[in-house]
């Protein structure tokens, strides 16, 4: 009997959803930073076994949307409720509630199995952990609770085994050698965006979108041309930095990661363009892969 299904990971920003998905899949599919709203898309990570296929979905952290891009991000979260066979609700130590009550109500009234993962227990002690488990048991009585550390890979394989038990019997949804639903250019864009989240402050990372215009793969080298889009002229200057030094750093860091990811030498060229207020422009958002209704 073959088992297969969708296991969708949801929760507040920054709780460690992407860290968990990467740990489960064993690949760095989702970018991770200490800033909230790092993930903007629904990203699938597929784990294949002889008689199973688990399709994990990492999703953006739940927020109250303030602009069009964030509306699209929350649509990805909504879609993750719709096709889940198992819902993974991740919380972190010290957290009290989900940033959206409607989503929370969906979780507690869910007809499908809910696994509540209490993450970052490496930062807590026994007393705090017990108190937190009691709190979540009361708040989400329909969930099975697993204390984990996604970062230190603690209890992650136990979660995976439980997921396998809960999967329905089904033929695979994707080819059995598939790792993700996203194309190569997506991972280029995300790697560059991760370096921007790491190197710039305040509003800058949130005003940036990446578009890879060229991805030419030869036998031992990949040549990449990507555009970093910002919302305003002043942001363009900040991204480039003094004599181009800031942009150069982003390019070098991205190249290093991409060489590991693709296992090939990378040549990368970065350009910066102003795309005025793209975050609030439905047409631009669609172009960047945020499926607008
Ligand atoms: N101490 C500790 N930190 C963790 C753990 N898991 C994740 N983190 C850190 O938490 C931060 C956020 O991790 P992400 O995986 O990007 O979180 P996310 O939920 O995907 O965040 P968004 O995409 O912004 O919603 C990063 O700095 C991680 O290194 C953990 O188990 N323990
Ligand atoms: Mg994330």
């Amino acid at each position: 009997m073959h088992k297969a299904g969708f296991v969708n990971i949801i929760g507040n920003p920054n709780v460690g959803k992407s860290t968990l998905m990467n740990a489960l899949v064993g690949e760095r599919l989702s970018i991770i930073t200490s800033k909230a709203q790092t993930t903007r898309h629904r990203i699938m990570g597929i784990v294949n076994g002889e008689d199973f296929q688990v399709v994990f979905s990492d999703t953006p952290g739940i927020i109250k949307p303030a602009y069009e891009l964030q509306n699209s991000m929350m649509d990805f979260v909504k879609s993750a409720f719709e096709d889940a066979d198992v819902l993974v609700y991740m919380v972190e130590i010290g957290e009290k509630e989900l940033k959206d009550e409607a989503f929370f109500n969906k979780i507690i009234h869910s007809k499908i199995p809910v696994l509540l993962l209490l993450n970052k227990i490496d930062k807590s002690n026994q007393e705090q952990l017990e108190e937190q488990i009691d709190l979540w048991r009361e708040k989400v009585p329909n969930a099975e609770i697993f204390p984990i550390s996604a970062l230190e890979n603690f209890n992650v394989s136990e979660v995976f085994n439980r997921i396998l038990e809960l999967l329905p019997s089904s033929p695979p949804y994707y080819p059995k050698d598939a790792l993700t639903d996203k194309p190569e250019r997506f991972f280029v864009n995300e790697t560059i965006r991760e370096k921007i989240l790491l190197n710039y402050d305040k509003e800058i990372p949130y005003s940036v979108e990446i578009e890879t215009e060229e991805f030419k793969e030869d036998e031992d080298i990949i040549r990449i041309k990507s555009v970093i889009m910002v919302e305003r002229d002043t942001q363009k200057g900040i991204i480039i930095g003094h004599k181009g030094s800031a942009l150069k750093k982003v390019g070098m860091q991205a190249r290093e990661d991409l060489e590991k990811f693709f296992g090939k030498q990378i040549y990368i060229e970065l350009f910066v363009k102003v795309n005025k207020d793209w975050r609030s422009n439905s047409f631009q958002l669609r172009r960047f892969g945020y499926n607008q209704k």
Side-chain angles (χ1 to χ4, degrees):
M1 183 191 66
H2 191 276
K3 290 178 142 198
F6 289 87
V7 178
N8 301 343
I9 308 166
I10 53 154
N12 278 336
N14 218 35
V15 294
K17 299 177 296 299
S18 300
T19 308
L20 172 75
M21 183 168 89
N22 290 352
L24 286 162
V25 178
E27 292 276 346
R28 211 165 181 286
L29 290 179
S30 280
I31 59 168
I32 298 167
T33 79
S34 58
K35 292 197 170 89
Q37 296 177 56
T38 294
T39 305
R40 287 180 181 170
H41 292 263
R42 174 174 176 174
I43 302 163
M44 291 183 189
I46 305 169
V47 182
N48 293 292
E50 195 136 307
D51 54 359
F52 66 84
Q53 178 174 72
V54 194
V55 185
F56 291 102
S57 285
D58 181 21
T59 64
I62 291 172
I63 43 169
K64 292 267 185 214
Y67 44 87
E68 207 47 43
L69 168 64
Q70 293 182 331
N71 278 325
S72 301
M73 286 161 60
M74 291 311 102
D75 285 344
F76 287 131
V77 180
K78 270 177 215 152
S79 81
F81 273 96
E82 281 156 19
D83 59 21
D85 294 295
V86 176
L87 205 56
V88 170
Y89 172 29
M90 182 179 265
V91 300
E92 65 177 309
I93 288 287
E95 177 190 327
K96 296 251 151 50
E97 60 189 14
L98 197 63
K99 290 194 167 38
D100 183 300
E101 210 177 319
F103 279 137
F104 185 74
N105 281 323
K106 277 192 185 187
I107 296 171
I108 59 174
H109 296 116
S110 167
K111 300 258 185 308
I112 59 160
V114 179
L115 305 184
L116 189 146
L117 308 190
L118 178 52
N119 192 30
K120 308 195 186 181
I121 62 163
D122 53 284
K123 293 207 295 195
S124 107
N125 55 40
Q126 195 60 30
E127 191 188 0
Q128 191 186 17
L129 184 59
E130 277 165 21
E131 175 231 331
Q132 292 269 298
I133 290 173
D134 289 344
L135 172 93
W136 288 110
R137 193 173 284 138
E138 201 171 307
K139 274 175 170 280
V140 193
N142 55 322
E144 283 176 49
I145 300 179
F146 289 81
I148 69 161
S149 168
L151 190 67
E152 296 183 352
N153 222 322
F154 175 79
N155 236 359
V156 171
S157 59
E158 284 74 6
V159 171
F160 185 79
N161 291 339
R162 183 64 186 130
I163 286 168
L164 279 187
E165 285 174 7
L166 292 168
L167 278 195
S169 70
S170 156
Y173 291 91
Y174 294 89
K176 288 292 286 265
D177 58 356
L179 173 65
T180 179
D181 62 325
K182 291 278 184 276
E184 287 154 332
R185 282 171 200 235
F186 177 81
F187 296 100
V188 175
N189 297 346
E190 287 290 89
T191 304
I192 298 167
R193 206 163 57 76
E194 181 183 78
K195 301 315 168 198
I196 287 173
L197 278 152
L198 291 173
N199 285 297
Y200 303 89
D201 290 328
K202 304 203 181 88
E203 206 45 25
I204 294 285
Y206 300 100
S207 311
V208 161
E209 181 64 40
I210 318 294
E211 197 172 45
T212 293
E213 293 186 335
E214 209 175 283
F215 184 95
K216 279 199 196 138
E217 185 159 5
D218 287 337
E219 207 155 313
D220 45 26
I221 188 165
I222 304 173
R223 291 189 172 79
I224 295 167
K225 249 185 218 170
S226 304
V227 177
I228 299 171
M229 231 103 45
V230 291
E231 294 206 294
R232 287 171 224 303
D233 277 320
T234 47
Q235 295 167 342
K236 182 173 170 179
I238 294 171
I239 294 279
I240 294 171
H242 183 60
K243 290 185 177 163
S245 57
L247 184 62
K248 196 169 165 197
K249 194 168 170 197
V250 168
M252 276 164 48
Q253 292 176 346
R255 191 192 52 183
E256 210 170 289
D257 279 17
L258 289 169
E259 286 188 339
K260 275 187 220 136
F261 188 77
F262 290 112
K264 279 191 184 177
Q265 202 188 328
I266 303 279
Y267 175 75
I268 186 165
E269 274 183 284
L270 297 177
F271 301 87
V272 188
K273 282 188 191 161
V274 178
N275 183 337
K276 204 166 172 299
D277 297 326
W278 66 266
R279 285 193 294 183
S280 316
N281 180 324
S282 298
F283 174 77
Q284 294 298 327
L285 287 168
R286 210 172 300 129
R287 170 176 156 202
F288 300 140
Y290 301 98
N291 41 337
Q292 292 275 299
K293 283 180 201 143

